[in-house]
Short mmCIF file of all heavy atoms in Angstrom, two decimals:
data_model
loop_
_atom_site.label_atom_id
_atom_site.label_comp_id
_atom_site.label_asym_id
_atom_site.label_seq_id
_atom_site.Cartn_x
_atom_site.Cartn_y
_atom_site.Cartn_z
N SER A 1 0.81 -1.22 0.00
CA SER A 1 -0.01 0.01 -0.01
C SER A 1 0.87 1.25 0.00
O SER A 1 0.35 2.36 0.06
CB SER A 1 -0.92 0.00 1.20
OG SER A 1 -0.19 0.11 2.40
N GLY A 2 2.19 1.07 -0.05
CA GLY A 2 3.11 2.19 -0.09
C GLY A 2 3.48 2.76 1.26
O GLY A 2 4.05 3.85 1.38
N HIS A 3 3.18 2.02 2.36
CA HIS A 3 3.50 2.51 3.70
C HIS A 3 4.56 1.67 4.41
O HIS A 3 4.57 1.52 5.60
CB HIS A 3 2.21 2.50 4.56
CG HIS A 3 1.21 3.50 4.09
ND1 HIS A 3 0.24 3.15 3.14
CD2 HIS A 3 1.00 4.79 4.37
CE1 HIS A 3 -0.50 4.22 2.87
NE2 HIS A 3 -0.08 5.24 3.62
N GLY A 4 5.50 1.12 3.59
CA GLY A 4 6.54 0.27 4.16
C GLY A 4 7.42 0.95 5.13
O GLY A 4 7.95 0.33 6.05
N LYS A 5 7.60 2.26 4.96
CA LYS A 5 8.50 3.01 5.84
C LYS A 5 7.96 3.09 7.26
O LYS A 5 8.68 3.39 8.20
CB LYS A 5 8.72 4.41 5.31
CG LYS A 5 7.48 5.27 5.25
CD LYS A 5 7.75 6.63 4.63
CE LYS A 5 6.50 7.48 4.55
NZ LYS A 5 5.97 7.77 5.88
N ASP A 6 6.65 2.80 7.46
CA ASP A 6 6.01 2.86 8.77
C ASP A 6 6.17 1.57 9.61
O ASP A 6 5.77 1.54 10.73
CB ASP A 6 4.52 3.22 8.63
CG ASP A 6 4.31 4.61 7.99
OD1 ASP A 6 5.19 5.47 8.24
OD2 ASP A 6 3.37 4.74 7.26
N ILE A 7 6.76 0.53 8.96
CA ILE A 7 6.92 -0.72 9.69
C ILE A 7 7.97 -0.57 10.79
O ILE A 7 8.99 0.07 10.59
CB ILE A 7 7.35 -1.83 8.70
CG1 ILE A 7 6.23 -2.13 7.72
CG2 ILE A 7 7.72 -3.10 9.44
CD1 ILE A 7 6.63 -3.13 6.61
N ASP A 8 7.71 -1.13 11.94
CA ASP A 8 8.65 -1.05 13.03
C ASP A 8 9.89 -1.87 12.78
O ASP A 8 9.85 -3.06 12.57
CB ASP A 8 7.96 -1.58 14.32
CG ASP A 8 8.89 -1.51 15.57
OD1 ASP A 8 9.95 -0.83 15.48
OD2 ASP A 8 8.51 -2.09 16.61
N LYS A 9 11.06 -1.18 12.73
CA LYS A 9 12.31 -1.85 12.38
C LYS A 9 13.26 -1.90 13.59
O LYS A 9 14.49 -2.11 13.41
CB LYS A 9 12.96 -1.20 11.17
CG LYS A 9 12.06 -1.14 9.97
CD LYS A 9 12.66 -0.28 8.90
CE LYS A 9 11.63 0.01 7.81
NZ LYS A 9 10.53 0.89 8.32
N SER A 10 12.74 -1.67 14.76
CA SER A 10 13.59 -1.60 15.95
C SER A 10 14.24 -2.92 16.28
O SER A 10 15.29 -3.00 16.95
CB SER A 10 12.77 -1.16 17.17
OG SER A 10 11.63 -2.04 17.42
N SER A 11 13.69 -4.04 15.75
CA SER A 11 14.29 -5.31 16.04
C SER A 11 15.44 -5.66 15.09
O SER A 11 16.11 -6.70 15.30
CB SER A 11 13.24 -6.43 15.93
OG SER A 11 12.67 -6.46 14.63
N LEU A 12 15.66 -4.85 14.08
CA LEU A 12 16.71 -5.12 13.12
C LEU A 12 18.08 -4.58 13.63
O LEU A 12 18.30 -3.38 13.51
CB LEU A 12 16.37 -4.50 11.70
CG LEU A 12 15.07 -5.02 11.07
CD1 LEU A 12 14.82 -4.27 9.76
CD2 LEU A 12 15.15 -6.51 10.83
N GLU A 13 18.84 -5.46 14.13
CA GLU A 13 20.14 -5.03 14.63
C GLU A 13 21.17 -4.90 13.49
O GLU A 13 21.22 -5.74 12.60
CB GLU A 13 20.66 -6.06 15.65
CG GLU A 13 19.78 -6.17 16.89
CD GLU A 13 20.36 -7.11 17.92
OE1 GLU A 13 21.43 -7.71 17.63
OE2 GLU A 13 19.70 -7.33 18.95
N LYS A 14 21.97 -3.88 13.58
CA LYS A 14 23.05 -3.67 12.64
C LYS A 14 22.58 -3.53 11.17
O LYS A 14 23.31 -3.88 10.28
CB LYS A 14 24.12 -4.75 12.76
CG LYS A 14 24.73 -4.85 14.14
CD LYS A 14 25.74 -5.99 14.17
CE LYS A 14 26.39 -6.10 15.54
NZ LYS A 14 27.36 -7.22 15.62
N VAL A 15 21.36 -3.10 10.96
CA VAL A 15 20.85 -2.87 9.63
C VAL A 15 20.43 -1.43 9.50
O VAL A 15 19.55 -0.97 10.24
CB VAL A 15 19.65 -3.80 9.29
CG1 VAL A 15 19.08 -3.47 7.93
CG2 VAL A 15 20.06 -5.25 9.38
N ASP A 16 21.06 -0.70 8.58
CA ASP A 16 20.72 0.73 8.38
C ASP A 16 19.48 0.75 7.44
O ASP A 16 19.62 0.81 6.27
CB ASP A 16 21.91 1.42 7.74
CG ASP A 16 21.60 2.92 7.51
OD1 ASP A 16 20.71 3.42 8.15
OD2 ASP A 16 22.33 3.53 6.67
N SER A 17 18.34 0.81 8.09
CA SER A 17 17.11 0.75 7.30
C SER A 17 16.25 1.98 7.49
O SER A 17 15.87 2.34 8.61
CB SER A 17 16.24 -0.50 7.76
OG SER A 17 15.00 -0.53 7.08
N HIS A 18 15.98 2.66 6.34
CA HIS A 18 15.10 3.79 6.36
C HIS A 18 13.71 3.41 5.85
O HIS A 18 12.80 4.19 5.83
CB HIS A 18 15.66 4.89 5.46
CG HIS A 18 16.91 5.47 5.97
ND1 HIS A 18 17.00 6.25 7.09
CD2 HIS A 18 18.20 5.38 5.52
CE1 HIS A 18 18.28 6.60 7.31
NE2 HIS A 18 19.00 6.12 6.35
N GLY A 19 13.56 2.14 5.39
CA GLY A 19 12.24 1.69 4.88
C GLY A 19 11.86 2.22 3.51
O GLY A 19 10.67 2.22 3.15
N ILE A 20 12.81 2.71 2.74
CA ILE A 20 12.44 3.29 1.42
C ILE A 20 12.79 2.35 0.27
O ILE A 20 12.49 2.65 -0.87
CB ILE A 20 13.15 4.66 1.22
CG1 ILE A 20 14.71 4.49 1.15
CG2 ILE A 20 12.78 5.64 2.27
CD1 ILE A 20 15.44 5.71 0.72
N GLY A 21 13.37 1.21 0.57
CA GLY A 21 13.75 0.26 -0.49
C GLY A 21 12.59 -0.25 -1.28
O GLY A 21 12.53 -0.13 -2.51
N MET A 22 11.57 -0.80 -0.57
CA MET A 22 10.38 -1.37 -1.29
C MET A 22 9.54 -0.29 -1.88
O MET A 22 9.00 -0.51 -2.99
CB MET A 22 9.60 -2.22 -0.32
CG MET A 22 10.22 -3.60 -0.07
SD MET A 22 10.62 -4.51 -1.62
CE MET A 22 8.99 -4.72 -2.33
N PRO A 23 9.35 0.87 -1.23
CA PRO A 23 8.63 1.94 -1.98
C PRO A 23 9.26 2.30 -3.27
O PRO A 23 8.55 2.60 -4.27
CB PRO A 23 8.62 3.11 -0.98
CG PRO A 23 8.69 2.44 0.36
CD PRO A 23 9.53 1.22 0.15
N ILE A 24 10.58 2.31 -3.33
CA ILE A 24 11.30 2.59 -4.59
C ILE A 24 11.01 1.48 -5.60
O ILE A 24 10.78 1.75 -6.78
CB ILE A 24 12.81 2.74 -4.33
CG1 ILE A 24 13.09 4.07 -3.61
CG2 ILE A 24 13.58 2.73 -5.69
CD1 ILE A 24 14.52 4.23 -3.20
N VAL A 25 11.04 0.23 -5.15
CA VAL A 25 10.77 -0.91 -6.02
C VAL A 25 9.33 -0.77 -6.60
O VAL A 25 9.09 -0.97 -7.76
CB VAL A 25 10.90 -2.23 -5.31
CG1 VAL A 25 10.38 -3.41 -6.13
CG2 VAL A 25 12.36 -2.53 -4.94
N LEU A 26 8.36 -0.46 -5.71
CA LEU A 26 6.94 -0.30 -6.17
C LEU A 26 6.84 0.82 -7.22
O LEU A 26 6.11 0.63 -8.20
CB LEU A 26 6.10 0.06 -4.96
CG LEU A 26 5.81 -1.05 -3.96
CD1 LEU A 26 5.09 -0.52 -2.74
CD2 LEU A 26 5.05 -2.19 -4.56
N LYS A 27 7.58 1.90 -7.02
CA LYS A 27 7.55 2.98 -7.97
C LYS A 27 8.12 2.51 -9.34
O LYS A 27 7.60 2.86 -10.40
CB LYS A 27 8.35 4.15 -7.40
CG LYS A 27 8.11 5.45 -8.18
CD LYS A 27 8.93 6.59 -7.57
CE LYS A 27 8.51 6.92 -6.16
NZ LYS A 27 9.30 8.06 -5.59
N LEU A 28 9.17 1.77 -9.29
CA LEU A 28 9.82 1.27 -10.48
C LEU A 28 8.93 0.28 -11.23
O LEU A 28 8.80 0.33 -12.47
CB LEU A 28 11.16 0.63 -10.15
CG LEU A 28 12.29 1.56 -9.77
CD1 LEU A 28 13.43 0.81 -9.08
CD2 LEU A 28 12.82 2.30 -10.96
N VAL A 29 8.29 -0.60 -10.48
CA VAL A 29 7.38 -1.57 -11.08
C VAL A 29 6.23 -0.83 -11.77
O VAL A 29 5.78 -1.14 -12.86
CB VAL A 29 6.79 -2.53 -10.00
CG1 VAL A 29 5.66 -3.37 -10.59
CG2 VAL A 29 7.91 -3.45 -9.53
N GLU A 30 5.72 0.24 -11.16
CA GLU A 30 4.64 1.06 -11.71
C GLU A 30 5.11 1.72 -13.03
O GLU A 30 4.39 1.73 -14.01
CB GLU A 30 4.22 2.14 -10.70
CG GLU A 30 3.13 2.99 -11.22
CD GLU A 30 2.82 4.15 -10.23
OE1 GLU A 30 3.46 4.24 -9.17
OE2 GLU A 30 1.90 4.94 -10.54
N LEU A 31 6.36 2.24 -13.02
CA LEU A 31 6.88 2.87 -14.23
C LEU A 31 7.01 1.88 -15.36
O LEU A 31 6.82 2.25 -16.51
CB LEU A 31 8.25 3.45 -13.93
CG LEU A 31 8.26 4.77 -13.09
CD1 LEU A 31 9.68 5.11 -12.69
CD2 LEU A 31 7.65 5.90 -13.86
N HIS A 32 7.34 0.60 -15.07
CA HIS A 32 7.43 -0.43 -16.07
C HIS A 32 6.11 -1.11 -16.41
O HIS A 32 6.11 -2.11 -17.12
CB HIS A 32 8.49 -1.45 -15.65
CG HIS A 32 9.92 -1.01 -15.74
ND1 HIS A 32 10.58 -0.89 -16.92
CD2 HIS A 32 10.82 -0.64 -14.74
CE1 HIS A 32 11.83 -0.48 -16.70
NE2 HIS A 32 11.97 -0.30 -15.39
N GLN A 33 5.04 -0.62 -15.83
CA GLN A 33 3.71 -1.25 -16.00
C GLN A 33 3.74 -2.73 -15.63
O GLN A 33 3.13 -3.53 -16.35
CB GLN A 33 3.21 -1.01 -17.46
CG GLN A 33 3.09 0.44 -17.84
CD GLN A 33 2.62 0.64 -19.27
OE1 GLN A 33 2.93 -0.20 -20.15
NE2 GLN A 33 1.94 1.70 -19.51
N GLY A 34 4.39 -3.01 -14.53
CA GLY A 34 4.51 -4.42 -14.10
C GLY A 34 3.62 -4.72 -12.93
O GLY A 34 2.73 -3.92 -12.55
#
């Protein structure tokens, strides 16, 4: 639904996560009509 950045990532140790990876993928898939 485009709200991946709102997922709680506090349990992810040693991972620099801003939660924007999958939103970027979704945007790219949309651009490719996939």
Side-chain angles (χ1 to χ4, degrees):
S1 65
H3 295 88
K5 64 183 178 62
D6 297 326
I7 295 174
D8 181 12
K9 304 171 192 68
S10 58
S11 62
L12 299 177
E13 297 181 1
K14 299 179 180 179
V15 177
D16 181 20
S17 175
H18 295 290
I20 64 171
M22 283 309 296
I24 288 174
V25 170
L26 289 173
K27 193 181 295 184
L28 287 164
V29 170
E30 180 184 1
L31 286 171
H32 285 286
Q33 299 180 330

